[in-house]
Amino acid sequence: MKTAIITGSTNPVGNIIFEKYKNQYNWLVVSRSNGFDLLTQESCDRVVELAKDADVFFNIACIGHSQSELAIRVFNTWKKNANFDIKKIISFGTLATDFSVNDLQLLRGFQSEYVSTKLLLGKAHKELCYDHLTNNWHNMPQSILIKFGNLLEASNNEPFTDSEQLIEAVDYVLNSQSYISDLSVRWN
Protein backbone atom coordinates (compact mmCIF):
# COMPACT_ATOMS: atom_id res chain seq x y z
CA MET A 1 0.00 0.00 0.00
CA LYS A 2 1.25 3.49 -0.83
CA THR A 3 1.96 6.08 1.83
CA ALA A 4 0.46 9.56 1.94
CA ILE A 5 1.33 12.48 4.16
CA ILE A 6 -1.20 15.22 4.81
CA THR A 7 -1.09 18.64 6.42
CA GLY A 8 -4.39 20.31 7.24
CA SER A 9 -6.39 17.11 7.73
CA THR A 10 -8.80 18.79 10.13
CA ASN A 11 -9.81 21.68 7.87
CA PRO A 12 -12.76 21.10 5.49
CA VAL A 13 -10.60 20.24 2.44
CA GLY A 14 -8.26 17.98 4.39
CA ASN A 15 -11.12 16.22 6.14
CA ILE A 16 -12.89 15.47 2.84
CA ILE A 17 -9.68 14.08 1.33
CA PHE A 18 -8.71 12.07 4.40
CA GLU A 19 -12.18 10.52 4.73
CA LYS A 20 -12.32 9.62 1.02
CA TYR A 21 -8.88 8.00 0.85
CA LYS A 22 -8.38 6.79 4.45
CA ASN A 23 -8.40 3.10 3.42
CA GLN A 24 -6.29 3.55 0.29
CA TYR A 25 -3.06 4.80 1.91
CA ASN A 26 -0.90 4.35 4.95
CA TRP A 27 -1.32 7.82 6.42
CA LEU A 28 1.17 10.16 8.06
CA VAL A 29 -1.00 12.90 9.54
CA VAL A 30 0.62 16.22 10.40
CA SER A 31 -1.39 18.32 12.85
CA ARG A 32 -1.05 20.33 16.01
CA SER A 33 -2.82 17.54 17.88
CA ASN A 34 0.10 15.18 17.27
CA GLY A 35 2.87 17.63 18.03
CA PHE A 36 3.43 19.63 14.84
CA ASP A 37 3.53 23.42 14.65
CA LEU A 38 4.16 24.39 11.04
CA LEU A 39 5.28 27.85 12.14
CA THR A 40 8.47 26.27 13.52
CA GLN A 41 11.47 25.10 11.55
CA GLU A 42 11.69 21.96 13.67
CA SER A 43 8.19 20.81 12.64
CA CYS A 44 8.82 21.61 8.97
CA ASP A 45 12.05 19.59 9.16
CA ARG A 46 10.09 16.66 10.65
CA VAL A 47 7.52 16.84 7.85
CA VAL A 48 10.25 16.72 5.20
CA GLU A 49 11.85 13.75 6.97
CA LEU A 50 8.51 11.92 7.15
CA ALA A 51 7.81 12.67 3.49
CA LYS A 52 11.01 10.97 2.28
CA ASP A 53 9.32 7.61 1.94
CA ALA A 54 5.82 8.87 1.07
CA ASP A 55 4.29 8.57 -2.38
CA VAL A 56 1.83 11.46 -2.15
CA PHE A 57 1.99 14.69 -0.19
CA PHE A 58 -1.35 16.43 0.35
CA ASN A 59 -0.12 19.96 1.07
CA ILE A 60 -3.22 21.63 2.50
CA ALA A 61 -2.42 23.55 5.70
CA CYS A 62 -2.03 27.26 5.08
CA ILE A 63 -0.01 28.35 8.09
CA GLY A 64 2.39 31.20 7.46
CA HIS A 65 4.63 30.37 4.51
CA SER A 66 4.98 26.71 5.45
CA GLN A 67 2.78 25.49 2.57
CA SER A 68 5.20 26.96 0.01
CA GLU A 69 8.27 25.95 1.99
CA LEU A 70 7.10 22.36 2.38
CA ALA A 71 6.24 22.03 -1.32
CA ILE A 72 9.74 23.14 -2.28
CA ARG A 73 11.56 21.10 0.35
CA VAL A 74 9.61 17.87 -0.24
CA PHE A 75 10.06 18.27 -4.01
CA ASN A 76 13.82 18.75 -3.64
CA THR A 77 14.10 15.80 -1.23
CA TRP A 78 12.22 13.55 -3.64
CA LYS A 79 14.24 14.88 -6.58
CA LYS A 80 17.52 13.93 -4.89
CA ASN A 81 16.25 10.41 -4.31
CA ALA A 82 14.38 10.01 -7.59
CA ASN A 83 13.47 6.55 -8.75
CA PHE A 84 10.85 5.43 -11.22
CA ASP A 85 7.92 5.65 -8.83
CA ILE A 86 5.91 8.78 -9.60
CA LYS A 87 5.57 10.90 -6.48
CA LYS A 88 3.01 13.68 -6.34
CA ILE A 89 2.80 16.84 -4.28
CA ILE A 90 -0.78 18.05 -4.40
CA SER A 91 -1.02 21.58 -3.05
CA PHE A 92 -4.31 23.37 -2.57
CA GLY A 93 -4.65 27.00 -3.58
CA THR A 94 -7.54 29.35 -4.20
CA LEU A 95 -9.26 30.87 -7.21
CA ALA A 96 -9.03 34.19 -5.36
CA THR A 97 -5.45 34.53 -6.62
CA ASP A 98 -6.90 34.98 -10.12
CA PHE A 99 -9.12 37.91 -9.09
CA SER A 100 -8.27 41.59 -9.45
CA VAL A 101 -7.50 43.49 -6.28
CA ASN A 102 -10.78 45.41 -6.63
CA ASP A 103 -12.77 42.18 -6.94
CA LEU A 104 -10.93 40.65 -3.97
CA GLN A 105 -11.90 43.57 -1.75
CA LEU A 106 -15.56 42.96 -2.59
CA LEU A 107 -15.44 39.34 -1.43
CA ARG A 108 -16.99 38.38 1.87
CA GLY A 109 -14.33 37.95 4.52
CA PHE A 110 -11.44 39.02 2.27
CA GLN A 111 -8.11 38.28 3.95
CA SER A 112 -5.09 39.80 2.22
CA GLU A 113 -2.59 37.69 4.21
CA TYR A 114 -4.32 34.48 3.09
CA VAL A 115 -4.31 35.56 -0.56
CA SER A 116 -0.66 36.66 -0.43
CA THR A 117 0.27 33.29 1.09
CA LYS A 118 -1.57 31.50 -1.71
CA LEU A 119 0.12 33.75 -4.31
CA LEU A 120 3.48 32.66 -2.90
CA LEU A 121 2.36 29.03 -3.13
CA GLY A 122 1.47 29.60 -6.79
CA LYS A 123 4.90 31.08 -7.48
CA ALA A 124 6.68 28.22 -5.71
CA HIS A 125 4.58 25.73 -7.67
CA LYS A 126 5.47 27.38 -11.01
CA GLU A 127 9.18 27.13 -10.15
CA LEU A 128 8.81 23.42 -9.32
CA CYS A 129 6.97 22.86 -12.61
CA TYR A 130 9.78 24.61 -14.46
CA ASP A 131 12.34 22.42 -12.66
CA HIS A 132 10.31 19.35 -13.70
CA LEU A 133 10.18 20.55 -17.30
CA THR A 134 13.87 21.38 -17.65
CA ASN A 135 15.36 18.34 -15.90
CA ASN A 136 15.07 14.59 -16.23
CA TRP A 137 11.28 14.84 -16.08
CA HIS A 138 10.32 11.17 -16.40
CA ASN A 139 11.38 10.36 -12.85
CA MET A 140 10.94 13.78 -11.25
CA PRO A 141 8.32 14.39 -8.58
CA GLN A 142 5.21 16.16 -9.77
CA SER A 143 4.00 19.42 -8.25
CA ILE A 144 0.25 19.79 -8.75
CA LEU A 145 -1.74 22.87 -7.75
CA ILE A 146 -5.50 22.54 -7.39
CA LYS A 147 -7.22 25.90 -7.06
CA PHE A 148 -10.84 26.05 -6.01
CA GLY A 149 -13.45 28.49 -4.76
CA ASN A 150 -15.29 28.55 -1.46
CA LEU A 151 -15.85 25.00 -0.36
CA LEU A 152 -19.43 23.82 -0.05
CA GLU A 153 -21.22 27.17 -0.31
CA ALA A 154 -21.88 29.90 -2.83
CA SER A 155 -21.96 33.47 -1.63
CA ASN A 156 -21.94 36.87 -3.33
CA ASN A 157 -21.48 35.31 -6.77
CA GLU A 158 -18.15 33.84 -5.67
CA PRO A 159 -17.12 30.61 -7.38
CA PHE A 160 -17.53 27.62 -5.10
CA THR A 161 -16.60 23.96 -5.15
CA ASP A 162 -18.56 21.14 -3.58
CA SER A 163 -16.97 18.06 -2.02
CA GLU A 164 -17.76 15.84 -5.03
CA GLN A 165 -15.99 18.24 -7.39
CA LEU A 166 -13.02 18.40 -5.06
CA ILE A 167 -12.72 14.60 -4.94
CA GLU A 168 -13.20 14.38 -8.71
CA ALA A 169 -10.23 16.73 -9.18
CA VAL A 170 -8.06 14.85 -6.69
CA ASP A 171 -8.97 11.49 -8.27
CA TYR A 172 -8.04 12.91 -11.65
CA VAL A 173 -4.54 13.98 -10.64
CA LEU A 174 -3.89 10.90 -8.51
CA ASN A 175 -4.87 8.48 -11.27
CA SER A 176 -3.58 10.32 -14.31
CA GLN A 177 -0.64 8.83 -16.16
CA SER A 178 0.04 12.31 -17.50
CA TYR A 179 1.52 15.18 -15.53
CA ILE A 180 -1.34 17.51 -14.70
CA SER A 181 0.33 20.56 -13.15
CA ASP A 182 -2.62 22.90 -12.60
CA LEU A 183 -6.37 22.52 -12.09
CA SER A 184 -8.94 25.21 -11.39
CA VAL A 185 -12.17 23.77 -10.02
CA ARG A 186 -15.41 25.71 -9.65
CA TRP A 187 -19.12 25.63 -10.13
CA ASN A 188 -20.86 28.91 -10.91
Side-chain angles (χ1 to χ4, degrees):
M1 184 177 290
K2 290 188 173 190
T3 300
I5 187 167
I6 186 170
T7 63
S9 64
T10 58
N11 79 25
V13 172
N15 189 47
I16 290 167
I17 289 168
F18 183 76
E19 286 301 315
K20 168 67 177 170
Y21 300 105
K22 67 183 173 188
N23 297 323
Q24 296 175 31
Y25 291 99
N26 290 320
W27 284 95
L28 302 170
V29 178
V30 174
S31 72
R32 286 189 182 117
S33 65
N34 61 5
F36 289 88
D37 178 0
L38 295 180
L39 291 174
T40 69
Q41 192 63 46
E42 178 187 348
S43 285
C44 289
D45 291 346
R46 286 176 50 209
V47 171
V48 173
E49 185 63 31
L50 286 171
K52 281 183 179 177
D53 296 321
D55 301 288
V56 179
F57 175 33
F58 292 99
N59 188 17
I60 301 168
C62 181
I63 300 171
H65 299 295
S66 63
Q67 193 177 22
S68 301
E69 178 187 345
L70 289 172
I72 292 166
R73 291 183 62 198
V74 169
F75 182 93
N76 288 332
T77 297
W78 284 353
K79 181 176 141 181
K80 280 192 286 190
N81 301 313
N83 56 34
F84 290 98
D85 295 328
I86 297 174
K87 294 181 178 246
K88 298 183 180 194
I89 299 168
I90 305 174
S91 297
F92 292 81
T94 176
L95 292 172
T97 58
D98 296 337
F99 291 7
S100 71
V101 172
N102 288 336
D103 287 342
L104 280 173
Q105 292 171 341
L106 296 174
L107 293 177
R108 168 184 54 87
F110 169 68
Q111 297 175 354
S112 61
E113 185 176 324
Y114 174 78
V115 174
S116 65
T117 300
K118 293 299 187 175
L119 284 167
L120 180 61
L121 174 65
K123 178 65 175 160
H125 165 70
K126 290 297 180 197
E127 289 182 14
L128 298 177
C129 290
Y130 182 76
D131 194 1
H132 185 275
L133 177 69
T134 58
N135 285 292
N136 191 8
W137 60 268
H138 66 276
N139 64 344
M140 292 276 289
Q142 297 178 355
S143 176
I144 300 154
L145 180 62
I146 300 177
K147 296 192 304 188
F148 54 91
N150 278 341
L151 190 63
L152 306 178
E153 64 178 79
S155 177
N156 297 336
N157 296 318
E158 296 173 48
F160 75 98
T161 306
D162 66 27
S163 59
E164 289 177 13
Q165 292 164 323
L166 179 65
I167 292 300
E168 180 181 21
V170 173
D171 277 343
Y172 183 63
V173 298
L174 283 174
N175 297 313
S176 178
Q177 296 301 310
S178 301
Y179 177 24
I180 310 297
S181 64
D182 297 85
L183 279 180
S184 293
V185 182
R186 67 181 156 276
W187 179 262
N188 285 328

